[in-house]
Amino acid sequence: MSESAKSGTKARLYDAFAASGKALASGKRLELLDLLAQGERTVDALAKTAGLNLTTASAHLQILKQAGFVATRREGVRIHYRLAGDDVAQLFALLRKVAERHQTTVPPARAAYLGEDSGSEVTREGLRARVQGGDVVLLDVRPVEEYRAGHIPGAISIPVEELADRIDELPEDADIVVYCRGEYCVLAYDAVRLLTDRGRRAIRLNDGMLEWRLSELPVDASDLT
């Protein structure tokens, strides 16, 4: 093969790589991947949660599908989307960490979104040890459909928007470990602030369900607890 031919095939290869990068070059598409990392969703559900109209959500999902990042199945007239594989979730998680490490705009944006974090946190390893010891209540504050799609074994479900009204369901004399979608999920931060303001001992898992799954730790998909 001539040098010019090699150069042409190399360019096509790198252009193929670049197509994946272009599919990720949208904050809303990354948000959709974040939601799909929690479990399969319909277009309607994704649009509502991401604050998009149906047409815009569908357009973003088609771009992700063309890049091979998501797959679909049909159930009647409904189209369900899911991540095409765990490697997509790994790529998404790594992209966020690399961006935080190397882009100066990410840490202040993270702080502005997540708010003040005055509570303590626990690692996945520390949480497993405490759950085995039976000295904590594990609280999942994601939406119910995400809990049903998969949660940390032993966790109870109280979505963050219901927590103020259901706080009496939690024992007053126990440490409460709160988790949500992942390291950059505001739901757990909001829940810890609410619980602390109400006099409860609340701490936060330092990441969330995305990282738990990627670590291949046990996941329960049973009914609500």
Side-chain angles (χ1 to χ4, degrees), residues 34 38 92-94 96-97 100-101 110 113-114 117 121 124 179-189 204-212:
D34 190 16
Q38 306 302 310
F92 170 65
L94 180 60
R96 297 195 305 188
K97 294 305 293 181
E100 182 169 14
R101 189 172 298 120
R110 169 182 172 148
Y113 174 57
L114 298 178
D117 184 18
E121 61 183 25
R124 275 169 268 140
Y179 74 92
C180 56
R181 291 168 180 148
E183 183 177 354
Y184 301 86
C185 177
V186 73
L187 305 180
Y189 286 80
R204 181 178 50 79
L205 179 62
N206 69 343
D207 43 42
M209 200 64 211
L210 170 64
E211 295 83 4
W212 186 274

Side-chain angles (χ1 to χ4, degrees), residues 140-162:
D140 186 319
V141 294
R142 298 174 300 155
V144 170
E145 61 269 22
E146 296 180 18
Y147 176 90
R148 286 176 171 154
H151 53 269
I152 299 175
I156 63 174
S157 172
I158 303 180
V160 68
E161 66 271 15
E162 300 176 13

Side-chain angles (χ1 to χ4, degrees), residues 92-140:
F92 170 65
L94 180 60
L95 173 63
R96 297 195 305 188
K97 294 305 293 181
V98 171
E100 182 169 14
R101 189 172 298 120
H102 297 287
Q103 290 190 33
T104 58
T105 57
V106 172
R110 169 182 172 148
Y113 174 57
L114 298 178
E116 181 180 356
D117 184 18
S118 57
S120 59
E121 61 183 25
V122 63
T123 64
R124 275 169 268 140
E125 293 76 16
L127 173 60
R128 295 184 74 193
R130 296 200 65 178
V131 169
Q132 289 173 359
D135 65 341
V136 296
V137 173
L138 182 56
L139 178 62
D140 186 319

